[in-house]
Amino acid sequence: MSVLVIAFTTLDGFASDPGSAPSGGWAFRHGPESVAGDKFRLGSTLDDGVLLLGRKTWQLFSGLWPHRDDPFSHRMNAVPKLVATSTLADTSAWQNSSVLDGDLVDAVKREERDVVVTGSLSVVHTLLAADLIDEYRLLTFPTVLGTGTRLFPDGTRPAHLECVSVERVGAATLSRYVREASGR
């Protein structure tokens, strides 16, 4: 089992609200070639793994993905989804969703499948603090916001990562970083 974080980020490290105001939808203003389809190169990870989302991201996605009809959307709809929440009870709006049982960190440690965390910065920050993240796939856009929630907040402990690939994806770059072999 490994934990993979996928995120849209700005050049100045902000990852909050890439598709909504007041920041003007900073990721989506670059067009579909930067955001549509499997831009994070998840491949079979969606077939064999589990998607982990916080409540806000799950609620946003549950209003979008079930209504899309393309190969990547079919994979997103089919993947098992765990929702880290203490307030949401009904997950019927998006197939294969269920509320995560118990403590987030303990549940991730018990998970046997690869875990893909998308959006959900509170979930990312919790797993980061528990030193559970094995890989980051960051789609970085040529945008500077100057405000918002950072992927790596102040006070994050140092982590040593290895860059395994970088490629241009539309207006953005997809960078993949994995934990160095000596990590954890």
Side-chain angles (χ1 to χ4, degrees), residues 13-156:
F14 292 104
S16 55
D17 299 322
S20 62
S23 55
W26 55 266
F28 298 92
R29 73 186 249 336
H30 296 282
E33 64 277 357
S34 297
V35 295
D38 189 6
K39 296 304 183 203
F40 290 102
R41 310 298 189 249
L42 295 174
S44 64
T45 304
L46 285 182
D47 300 331
D48 303 325
V50 61
L51 200 60
L52 174 60
L53 308 118
R55 178 190 52 81
K56 290 178 186 176
T57 302
W58 182 89
Q59 287 177 316
L60 173 68
F61 285 9
S62 70
L64 300 172
W65 288 105
H67 308 291
R68 295 182 177 172
D69 188 24
D70 60 83
F72 183 68
S73 296
H74 290 279
R75 290 177 106 177
M76 286 292 286
N77 289 325
V79 67
K81 292 165 271 299
L82 296 175
V83 186
T85 181
S86 60
T87 59
L88 183 69
D90 181 12
T91 58
S92 63
W94 196 11
Q95 68 189 38
N96 302 318
S97 295
S98 59
V99 172
L100 182 129
D101 186 31
D103 177 74
L104 171 62
V105 170
D106 290 340
V108 169
K109 287 179 179 178
R110 286 191 312 267
E111 184 58 54
E112 295 179 4
R113 300 166 288 190
D114 288 338
V115 176
V116 178
V117 184
T118 181
S120 308
L121 291 175
S122 62
V123 171
V124 171
H125 293 161
T126 298
L127 298 179
L128 182 62
D131 197 28
L132 290 177
I133 299 171
D134 300 295
E135 181 178 351
Y136 295 91
R137 293 187 191 175
L138 308 179
L139 205 53
T140 304
F141 289 83
T143 299
V144 175
L145 289 180
T147 188
T149 304
R150 291 184 185 276
L151 181 61
F152 302 103
D154 289 344
T156 298

Side-chain angles (χ1 to χ4, degrees), residues 6-24:
I6 61 174
F8 292 147
T9 66
T10 62
L11 282 176
D12 54 346
F14 292 104
S16 55
D17 299 322
S20 62
S23 55

